[in-house]
């Protein structure tokens, strides 16, 4: 037996699960040693006073467990990769992370690789036109206003828009990376990973251009320029020359300049485009 | 009264079109209604107040901060709730997931506290029992209430609502009024609506916009008072009236400076005042 006892309020808080963990542990240790206080726990008056909050707490947890849906496959995957649960939810909310869309992009990539393998020079040209654009297209889909219907609500929250955009960009590229790496050895040419250089430049260019225009339009602009460059090279000699030395430096320069422009114009991501409807 | 929204000579231009011109007012806690025809500039003004759009001209101060300064804009957004006119939802989400998603964006990172807050706002708009439903399975009115729920997260000090009553049935509108009346005890609530009865039931103050300009700014009582002595019930429409229409009783309600023959002067309504102050082309009801 001990010489002191837990006061009524403390006991009620313990029964009602309102104490912090360390305080509750202290009460429990005391109860193990004190028969008088154990008797008081059984006291009907104390129990009645505390039962309602305890039931509320339990009911709240039951309701939360029922209402809180199981995260999607993508969201669970992102969590397993180490992304905090809140960030995983923000990333997975984008349509670009829905299964059919992801599978569609990857299917296109597989088809152009197959075309390059079996379609000779025209297959190679098709691969070089399409493959480097796919990562930027996937990125654009992850935050384009036309694909992201909740944009207007999202914009006026304190969460940094640029963080959301970059988070989704990294997630898109991260999710696609294993497939890209698995497919690249079958890409045409002696250096199968070289096509990723323009792809990196295009992703950066789309991010930069999206501070002026919507991301999907930015992909269209970049794609049009790229198509002209590849076709011109194919007409002149071979489409493969666009992966040669001088071009590589250009892609890196495009990436570097674009990142700079993006950093300078970040604030334009924080507001609606003026072209959106409604007066 | 603590002023929490102050705008001075605010204008907003889209290309060569001015959607809003020279708007100036100060708002404190309470509900203010924006009234005006389509294209009057209501949505633009609400977007400016919600920090979604910067003004082309003029200055805006929200809670004493300047939304043009990025750090201050973030501070404002922490205390802001916004229901846009065109409400969009991420595909495949349940009602709970959507509000939870917005709560994450509003920096509720602790899951237990966030889920509790999500349950609170869903309960406030009467959607507790629809929390686990997919949004695509909700009715239009339920979706609108879901939009209101996400705006209520964190008990914002500024609540900007673009046509919150669209698609709501009378019972749901009554629920909404009760929610907003509670919120407006401490927060500044600015809403736009086409429903004059909502303004009468909810708002202490009304701002009438027309052609991008503020045409009237005052209390609802004074607003209605503008039409006092100008609303007449008669058996026939008055060709000189600014507006004239047949009511459910078969009599014609005329808004006119002079009494039509045999007409009875009646109490004006908010709608009468709106039609009078709009100064639009005369509205004449078709005869029987």
């Amino acid at each position: 037996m001990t010489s002191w006892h837990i006061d009524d309020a403390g006991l009620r808080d313990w029964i009602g699960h309102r104490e912090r963990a360390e305080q509750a542990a202290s009460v429990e240790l005391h109860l193990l040693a004190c028969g008088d206080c154990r008797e008081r726990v059984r006291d009907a008056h104390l129990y009645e006073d505390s039962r309602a909050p305890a039931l509320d707490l339990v009911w709240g947890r039951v309701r939360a467990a029922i209402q809180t849906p199981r995260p999607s496959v993508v969201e669970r995957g992102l969590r397993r990769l180490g992304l905090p649960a809140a960030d995983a939810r923000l990333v997975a909310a984008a349509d670009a992370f829905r299964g059919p869309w992801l599978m569609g992009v990857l299917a296109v990539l597989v088809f152009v690789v197959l075309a390059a393998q079996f379609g000779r020079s025209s297959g190679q040209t098709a691969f070089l036109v399409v493959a480097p654009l796919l990562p930027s297209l996937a990125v654009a889909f992850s935050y384009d206003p036309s694909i992201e219907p909740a944009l207007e609500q999202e914009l006026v929250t304190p969460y940094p828009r640029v963080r959301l955009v970059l988070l989704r960009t990294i997630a898109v590229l991260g999710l696609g990376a294993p497939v890209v790496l698995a497919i690249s050895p079958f890409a045409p040419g002696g250096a199968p990973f070289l096509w990723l250089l323009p792809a990196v430049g295009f992703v950066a260019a789309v991010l930069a251009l999206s501070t002026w225009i919507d991301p999907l339009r930015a992909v269209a602009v970049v794609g049009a320029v790229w198509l002209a460059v590849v076709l011109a090279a194919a007409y002149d000699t071979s489409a493969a020359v666009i992966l040669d030395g001088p071009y590589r430096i250009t892609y890196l320069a495009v990436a570097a300049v674009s990142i700079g422009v993006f950093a300078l114009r970040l604030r334009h991501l924080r507001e609606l485009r003026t072209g959106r409807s409604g007066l | 009264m603590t002023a929490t929204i102050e705008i001075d000579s605010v204008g907003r231009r889209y290309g060569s079109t001015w959607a809003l011109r020279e708007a100036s007012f100060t708002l404190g806690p309470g509900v203010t209604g924006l009234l005006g025809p389509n294209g009057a500039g209501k949505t633009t003004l609400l977007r400016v107040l919600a920090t979604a759009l910067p003004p082309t001209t003029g200055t805006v101060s929200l809670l004493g901060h300047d939304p043009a300064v990025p750090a201050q804009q973030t501070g404002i957004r922490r205390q802001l709730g916004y229901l846009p006119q065109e409400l969009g939802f991420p595909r495949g989400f349940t009602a709970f997931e959507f509000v939870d998603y917005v709560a994450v964006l509003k920096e509720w990172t602790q899951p237990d506290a966030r889920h509790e807050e999500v349950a609170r706002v869903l309960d406030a708009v009467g959607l507790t029992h629809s929390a686990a439903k997919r949004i695509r399975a909700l009715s239009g009115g339920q979706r609108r209430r879901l939009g209101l729920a996400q705006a209520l997260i964190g008990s914002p000090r500024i609540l900007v609502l673009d046509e919150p009553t669209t698609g709501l049935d009378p019972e749901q509108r009554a629920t909404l009024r009760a929610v907003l009346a509670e919120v407006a005890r401490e927060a500044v609530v600015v809403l736009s609506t086409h429903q004059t009865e909502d303004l009468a039931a909810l708002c202490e103050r009304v701002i009438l916009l027309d052609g991008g300009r503020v045409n009237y700014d005052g209390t609802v009582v004074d607003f209605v008072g503008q039409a006092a002595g100008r609303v007449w019930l008669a058996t026939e429409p008055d060709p000189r009236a600014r507006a004239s229409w047949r009511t459910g009783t078969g009599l014609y309600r005329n808004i006119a400076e002079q009494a039509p023959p045999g007409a009875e002067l009646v109490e004006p309504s908010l709608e009468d005042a709106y039609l009078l102050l709009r100064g639009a082309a005369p509205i004449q009801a078709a005869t029987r």
Side-chain angles (χ1 to χ4, degrees):
Chain A
M1 295 289 280
T2 60
S3 57
W4 67 276
H5 299 288
I6 304 162
D7 61 24
D8 285 352
L11 215 47
R12 270 197 297 269
D13 284 347
W14 180 77
I15 295 168
H17 303 282
R18 287 187 293 269
E19 286 190 317
R20 291 205 304 272
E22 63 272 20
Q23 288 171 320
S26 168
V27 170
E28 281 154 20
L29 271 178
H30 175 79
L31 287 172
L32 287 173
C34 179
D36 287 349
C37 286
R38 284 201 299 274
E39 287 291 322
R40 289 167 60 219
V41 170
R42 285 196 290 269
D43 184 289
H45 174 69
L46 280 173
Y47 181 71
E48 283 301 322
D49 272 2
S50 318
R51 190 170 58 177
L55 282 176
D56 281 350
L57 193 76
V58 172
W59 173 240
R61 284 178 183 164
V62 168
R63 196 172 65 171
I66 294 167
Q67 287 177 342
T68 311
R70 194 162 179 245
S72 66
V73 176
V74 173
E75 195 173 328
R76 292 201 303 273
L78 291 167
R79 284 194 200 181
R80 283 202 194 98
L81 291 173
L83 206 62
D87 286 343
R89 167 137 299 179
L90 297 182
V91 169
D95 270 359
F97 296 94
R98 303 280 160 209
W101 160 246
L102 276 176
M103 297 309 290
V105 171
L106 294 176
V108 171
L109 191 57
V110 170
F111 277 123
V112 289
V113 167
L114 289 174
Q117 287 291 313
F118 302 106
R120 298 192 183 154
S121 67
S122 59
Q124 186 183 47
T125 304
F127 175 84
L128 289 173
V129 167
V130 176
L133 287 171
L134 286 179
S136 50
L137 185 65
V139 166
F141 259 96
S142 73
Y143 71 104
D144 190 88
S146 62
I147 313 289
E148 197 173 12
L151 176 74
E152 208 166 331
Q153 297 105 285
E154 291 169 3
L155 266 185
V156 299
T157 62
Y159 195 89
R161 177 78 183 153
V162 64
R163 189 172 190 277
L164 188 64
V165 168
L166 291 178
L167 204 58
R168 288 180 177 174
T169 298
I170 292 166
V172 163
L173 299 179
L175 282 175
V179 179
V180 167
L181 293 177
I183 284 172
S184 283
F186 303 101
F193 293 101
L194 271 182
W195 70 273
L196 292 174
L197 263 184
V200 169
F202 296 162
V203 168
V206 165
L207 285 173
L209 284 172
S210 68
T211 61
W212 276 283
I213 54 178
D214 288 344
L216 282 175
R217 287 188 183 187
V219 173
V221 170
V222 170
V225 173
W226 179 241
L227 179 67
V229 169
V230 177
L231 291 182
Y235 181 76
D236 197 29
T237 49
S238 159
V241 298
I242 57 165
L243 299 180
D244 287 349
Y247 284 98
R248 295 176 202 169
I249 294 165
T250 308
Y251 305 138
L252 291 175
V254 166
V257 170
S258 298
I259 289 167
V261 171
F262 182 68
L264 286 173
R265 291 179 52 82
L266 287 179
R267 67 186 176 88
H268 294 280
L269 289 174
R270 297 167 63 95
E271 285 144 3
L272 282 177
R273 302 247 179 266
T274 53
R276 276 178 89 83
S277 62
L279 296 177
Chain B
M1 190 169 67
T2 314
T4 44
I5 292 180
E6 288 181 67
I7 70 167
D8 184 27
S9 304
V10 165
R12 174 71 214 194
R13 193 178 59 199
Y14 298 99
S16 59
T17 306
W18 284 92
L20 188 67
R21 285 172 188 264
E22 296 289 319
S24 300
F25 52 76
T26 301
L27 301 178
V31 186
T32 299
L34 296 185
L35 201 56
N38 290 329
K42 302 189 296 294
T43 292
T44 297
L45 177 56
L46 292 179
R47 281 176 171 168
V48 169
L49 296 181
T51 74
L53 270 184
T56 310
T57 60
T59 57
V60 178
S61 171
L62 303 170
L63 304 170
H65 301 297
D66 181 357
V69 179
Q72 294 187 35
Q73 186 188 61
T74 303
I76 294 164
R77 288 177 172 178
R78 288 197 173 104
Q79 302 180 75
L80 180 89
Y82 176 46
L83 171 68
Q85 186 181 39
E86 291 169 30
L87 193 58
F89 302 100
R91 211 166 300 180
F93 270 20
T94 64
F96 189 96
E97 276 180 313
F98 171 66
V99 181
D100 188 57
Y101 169 65
V102 179
V104 172
L105 289 168
K106 288 190 171 183
E107 299 178 330
W108 287 73
T109 49
Q110 212 283 320
D112 286 344
R114 189 174 74 237
H115 292 163
E116 208 169 290
E117 178 66 1
V118 171
R120 182 188 74 82
V121 295
L122 286 173
D123 186 47
V125 299
L127 283 179
T128 297
H129 298 296
S130 302
K133 277 189 186 171
R134 298 264 169 222
I135 295 172
R136 62 172 175 264
L138 299 179
S139 68
Q142 285 176 318
R143 288 181 190 199
R144 207 69 196 150
R145 283 189 281 153
L146 186 60
L148 179 65
Q150 61 83 28
L152 291 173
I153 292 169
S155 305
R157 289 178 64 197
I158 295 180
L159 194 56
V160 180
L161 309 171
D162 201 347
E163 299 190 11
T165 54
T166 304
L168 301 188
D169 61 34
E171 196 178 332
Q172 291 168 341
R173 287 223 298 274
T175 306
L176 175 76
R177 287 171 187 165
V179 171
L180 294 188
E182 185 60 33
V183 172
R185 285 169 188 260
E186 294 181 1
V188 187
V189 181
V190 190
L191 58 88
S192 71
T193 180
H194 290 294
Q195 309 281 345
T196 48
E197 63 266 38
D198 286 336
L199 280 182
L202 264 173
C203 306
E204 297 111 65
R205 184 167 165 185
V206 60
I207 293 174
L208 177 67
L209 284 169
D210 204 354
R213 292 181 187 278
V214 174
N215 256 8
Y216 179 88
D217 176 7
T219 66
V220 172
V221 174
D222 290 344
F223 183 74
V224 176
Q226 302 284 318
R230 293 164 171 167
V231 185
W232 312 88
L233 267 186
T235 52
E236 295 295 330
D238 181 2
R240 298 166 304 167
R242 185 181 295 274
S244 179
W245 67 96
R246 189 169 182 267
T247 65
T249 61
L251 295 173
Y252 284 82
R253 196 170 180 95
N254 298 290
I255 301 175
E257 298 297 330
Q258 306 290 324
E264 177 197 353
L265 186 65
V266 292
E267 284 290 316
S269 68
L270 230 157
E271 197 170 359
D272 298 325
Y274 171 68
L275 292 171
L276 182 75
L277 286 171
R278 265 215 57 204
I283 300 161
Q284 291 292 331
T287 49
R288 272 168 282 179

